[in-house]
Structures are given as structure tokens and as C-alpha cells.
Amino acid sequence: MTGPMIENRTFDEIRIGDTANVTRTLTSDDIWLFAAVSGDVNPAHIDPDYAETDLFHHVVAHGMWGAGLISAVLGTELPGPGTIYRGQSLRFLAPVSVGDMITASVTVTDKRELDHLILFDCRCVSAEGREVITGQAEVMAPTEKVARRRVPLPEIRLIGHEGHRRLLDQVGTQGPIETAVAHPCSPDAIVAVADAAEGGMITPILVGPEARIRQSAQVAGRSIDAFRIVDAPHSHAAAAKAVALVSMGEARLLMKGSLHTDELMSAVLASDAGLRTERRISHAYIMDVPGHARPLIITDAAINIEPTLDDKADILRNAIDLAHVMGIERPKAAILAAVETVNPKMRTTLEAAALCKMADRGQIAGAIVDGPLAFDNAVSAQAAEEKGIISPVAGQADILMVPNLEAGNMLAKQLTFLGGADAAGVVLGARVPIILTSRADSVRTRLASCAVALLLARAATKAAPGLLAEQPA
């Protein structure tokens, strides 16, 4: 066998007074991993705001994290592989905080030939000598020698979603906004609406066949007694009525229920709906990608199938406005293509170059625009450096503008299902933001989608420049 080994000490080899230890420094990841494995989500361990009001006034480790270190000594050092735990008694004397270096040690106090039992004194001590845990352990020691290659631990990546949590924090407690929900006739749609309402984000107006809406709520196990219901016979009528509620000012947001996106958008784009503006309507995903420092706005992955250059200019303007509302004062926009050089045989690279020139001349304002850029050098400074790309956007993109819907949809879904990203979605360019949710969305993603729409609606109320273009005559 090659590589690091793990070897035990048999009952006959162990003497009273023998000792062993392991040392580990507590990290915030340790706390989250322990919570995930154990299911112990006590806010004293994972909620900093609550922890400030608790006994120790800051986040502390679960007590059994330290006990786990004792188990690690017994299972890997003394006696080691082949050890059978029989009993453990512990006293928890002091909290362990992030950054504390803890040494867990065990010392043999007694041996019993019957059943090969060994008793240990156990201690966990901080680097400053403060006792954290004391106790006793009883184990059955191995009688046969074991020497094995030490199995390397897998690399574990914690998937956190700080970006979307920050979005929710931005919404704050300014009160819910009236929202027309088109055809919420499935349990998933009802859950999405109820979650947003319980989160204090929206005041729902449910538009669709009342009997089906109530049946869906019953199946979902959610109460809709507090919600206004506007009866409509079918999904087409529900979309038209929901749009009409917005047009008449009874609702300030529009939300998709269980109908198809194109069905809702047809109602939005109808000439008599009153929701169109001078801007091309487009969709944006706000992607919260684990390990990536900034949110990524991907556009357009849901509405414009094969946009023209004029369409792309509006899609980019919509995304820039969204970035401003999210607090990104000077967003960096990467116009994506398969390559980072202009190739006359590739229309997307020519259009990327044209969009950059439009930005240089003020036709597209409010952002730093560069392209064509390939995906790798748009998001990775190292990739850009290796290719010799000098760009104010490369490796720092806030906006990723894709060449067409297929590319955007594949990119967003790859980040979601392979990269663990959350994708909040919103439709831009209409008189009001439009919330699109999917059955596959987590509660967090649904709430983030609502949060983005709320930010846009509130910004429009304050008459932020560029958010709402004038209605065409």
C-alpha cells in the first residue's frame, strides 16, 4: 500500500496512561456542515442576528461538534480502526466560536480483559487552555492489527446564496405590492403565491377559474381566504383579465401562474392591453452562483428567440436598468459569443462589436460594454489573462448578454443544475415588471424573483430614469 496510512493499537498494545489527540480550528463552514448533516438549525448556531440576542451574543458551534472530535481521536488514533463505541458521558463547559483552535485528547484510565473494554478520560481544550468539554468514554478495543491506506475525504462545496439573500434584504419592510396572478390553478402556483404573500412582498389578486383555484389551494394545503379572487373561465381569459387589472391600476405587478409563458405574454403584448412601451420586452435571470462573488444577469433566455441588433440594444438597455435598481451603479456588460474576436462569418460577433460601438457613442448608456467575449473570459480573470485579453469587462462581468434564446436557456440551466445556482427571473420592458416562476424553483428563488420585481416597481414609482419608457401613441 502507498500513501498515508491509518493504523490501530490493539487491546494488548494499549497501556494505562496512553494518550492521543487531534486539533482542529472551527470554521463557519464546519457549523453549516454540521447543521446540514444533523438537521440542527438552532438559530444560535446559524443566524447571526438571533445569536446577538442570545446568551453568548455571537454564533457558536453545536456542542456535539466538539464531541465529534473526541470520536475522531478514538476512531482514528487510539485505539483506531476496529474500535466499537460503548458509552460516552460529557460536560459542556464553554462555547466554541469560529476561529477557535480546539484540541481533543483522550487518556486511558482503565482496562478490562472482559470484552476488551477500555475507559478514557476525554477533554477538549482551546489554544488558550480553556476547557470546553470534559467527560469519559468506554470503548471495545480491537484485538487484531489493522493498517489501511487513509481514505482521502471528498471535496465538499457548500452552496450558499448570499446574492439572493441580499436581494431580499434590499426589499426590506416597505410593504407588499398588489399583484395580479394569472391562472394560479396548480398546487405549485398556489405555493409560490402564498410564500410571497407570507414573506410580505405581494398582496395577491388571483385571476382564473375560482373552483380550480380553491381546489389547488386545498391540495397544496395553503389558505387563500385572505386573497381576492377574480373569476375567469380559462387561462386565456385569466391572462387578459390579469393584464387588464394592471392596466387599470388595480395591480402594480403581474405574476405568472400555471399557464404557459407565451400565453401570458400574448396578453401583455396585445395592442389594447396598454402594457407595451417603446422598449422591446425581454427576460432576465439574476443568477446567484455559488463561489462567484457577484450576481450574474443573463439575458435573454426566455422570450426573444433570435433577436435582431435593434432587439439586442433594447435587451441590453433593460438589463442595465435592472442592474442599476439592484445597486450596481456602473455595471459591466459582456456581449457573449463563441469566440472573443470579430469574425465576419459569425453574425453574433459582428453584432457584439456594433453594440460596443453604440455604447461608445452614447446610444446605450449606463454601463461599460465589451464584446465579443467568450463565456470563460467574461467571468474568469484568469482565463482572460491566459488569452491575453485586455478589457475592462473581462473577468468582471455583471451582465451576460447571450446571442439568442437557446444559448441563454442552456447557460442558465447549466449553472442551475450543474453549478447549484439560483435563478430568479423577471420580464422587463413592459409598464410593470412581470414575475415568472417555475415549478422547479425553490422557495428562495421564488421570493428572489418577487424581490427583483418589487425593486423595479418601487424604482418606477420614484420615476427612476429609463425604467419605464413612455407608452407609444
Side-chain angles (χ1 to χ4, degrees):
M1 294 184 183
T2 60
M5 302 293 291
I6 183 170
E7 185 174 344
N8 68 0
R9 295 172 66 181
T10 65
F11 179 85
D12 291 337
E13 293 175 326
I14 295 171
R15 301 288 180 265
I16 293 176
D18 285 352
T19 187
N21 63 73
V22 298
T23 299
R24 179 150 185 171
T25 300
L26 177 72
T27 68
S28 58
D29 281 358
D30 290 330
I31 294 177
W32 280 104
L33 283 168
F34 192 94
V37 171
S38 67
D40 184 351
V41 292
N42 181 340
H45 307 307
I46 59 176
D47 184 341
D49 292 336
Y50 173 83
E52 285 184 4
T53 69
D54 202 24
L55 178 63
F56 303 113
H57 305 296
H58 62 272
V59 165
V60 297
H62 303 75
M64 294 307 292
W65 177 83
L69 297 184
I70 294 172
S71 177
V73 182
L74 295 171
T76 63
E77 301 291 338
L78 180 66
T83 299
I84 304 297
Y85 236 131
R86 292 290 297 269
Q88 179 84 64
S89 65
L90 298 171
R91 289 180 59 83
F92 298 91
L93 305 178
V96 178
S97 306
V98 172
D100 284 352
M101 186 170 67
I102 302 299
T103 297
S105 61
V106 300
T107 303
V108 179
T109 59
D110 196 10
K111 293 179 63 177
R112 300 175 186 172
E113 292 288 342
L114 182 64
D115 293 334
H116 303 106
L117 291 180
I118 297 183
L119 302 181
F120 291 90
D121 269 345
C122 309
R123 300 174 74 227
C124 287
V125 181
S126 72
E128 297 76 28
R130 173 173 51 99
E131 284 193 331
V132 173
I133 300 174
T134 60
Q136 292 78 41
E138 178 183 294
V139 306
M140 184 183 298
T143 57
E144 295 182 1
K145 198 69 177 172
V146 175
R148 302 286 298 176
R149 183 177 63 85
R150 186 180 289 267
V151 177
L153 291 174
E155 182 179 344
I156 298 175
R157 181 180 62 169
L158 288 176
I159 298 178
H161 292 285
E162 292 302 320
H164 281 178
R165 272 192 280 270
R166 286 192 292 271
L167 273 178
L168 296 175
D169 290 342
Q170 278 183 268
V171 172
T173 56
Q174 299 181 38
I177 289 181
E178 296 80 8
T179 303
V181 186
H183 204 254
C185 294
S186 70
D188 291 313
I190 292 294
V191 168
V193 171
D195 286 340
E198 290 169 8
M201 295 184 176
I202 68 172
T203 300
I205 305 171
L206 309 182
V207 187
E210 182 169 352
R212 287 187 61 189
I213 291 173
R214 293 193 181 281
Q215 182 183 19
S216 297
Q218 186 175 8
V219 173
R222 307 299 283 269
S223 173
I224 58 172
D225 293 343
F227 303 160
R228 176 185 170 191
I229 298 178
V230 176
D231 192 39
H234 46 68
S235 57
H236 286 288
K241 280 195 176 184
V243 167
L245 288 172
V246 174
S247 183
M248 293 184 295
E250 293 186 43
R252 294 167 56 201
L253 291 177
L254 184 61
M255 183 174 182
K256 175 191 167 187
S258 54
L259 74 175
H260 291 294
T261 298
D262 58 356
E263 197 172 3
L264 178 62
M265 295 312 300
S266 292
V268 170
L269 295 172
S271 58
D272 60 347
L275 294 191
R276 299 188 69 171
T277 71
E278 294 177 352
R279 288 277 182 88
R280 178 81 180 183
I281 286 178
S282 62
H283 178 273
Y285 277 122
I286 299 90
M287 306 292 297
D288 185 3
V289 184
H292 195 74
R294 51 169 56 86
L296 291 173
I297 298 172
I298 296 178
T299 190
D300 179 342
I303 291 179
N304 292 282
I305 298 173
E306 197 68 45
T308 65
L309 178 60
D310 282 344
D311 295 338
K312 288 182 177 181
D314 268 353
I315 292 169
L316 183 54
R317 292 181 185 111
N318 289 341
I320 292 169
D321 288 341
L322 172 60
H324 291 166
V325 169
M326 291 170 58
I328 307 171
E329 294 183 8
R330 189 75 170 166
K332 297 178 179 180
I335 315 302
L336 296 187
V339 295
E340 57 279 344
T341 55
V342 176
N343 185 334
K345 295 180 180 179
M346 300 176 70
R347 180 176 62 86
T348 55
T349 67
L350 294 173
E351 291 182 347
L355 290 168
C356 293
K357 181 53 67 176
M358 292 171 73
D360 289 344
R361 295 188 174 180
Q363 293 172 266
I364 299 172
I368 302 170
V369 182
D370 196 14
L373 288 171
F375 175 76
D376 58 347
N377 45 64
V379 299
S380 168
Q382 181 179 353
E385 183 179 354
E386 288 174 354
K387 291 187 176 182
I389 297 172
I390 299 173
S391 162
V393 174
Q396 306 175 69
D398 302 296
I399 298 169
L400 300 177
M401 183 168 174
V402 298
N404 54 41
L405 183 147
E406 288 181 314
N409 190 273
M410 285 186 278
L411 174 58
K413 287 181 177 177
Q414 285 166 352
L415 289 174
T416 299
F417 291 99
L418 293 180
D422 265 357
V426 66
V427 174
L428 309 163
R431 277 183 52 211
V432 299
I434 302 169
I435 304 164
L436 297 185
T437 59
S438 165
R439 287 177 297 174
D441 288 344
S442 66
V443 172
R444 180 178 53 250
T445 300
R446 291 168 178 168
L447 294 181
S449 297
C450 292
V452 173
L454 261 66
L455 289 174
L456 288 162
R458 288 171 181 163
T461 300
K462 296 175 183 178
L467 277 173
L468 290 181
E470 292 297 321
Q471 271 191 261

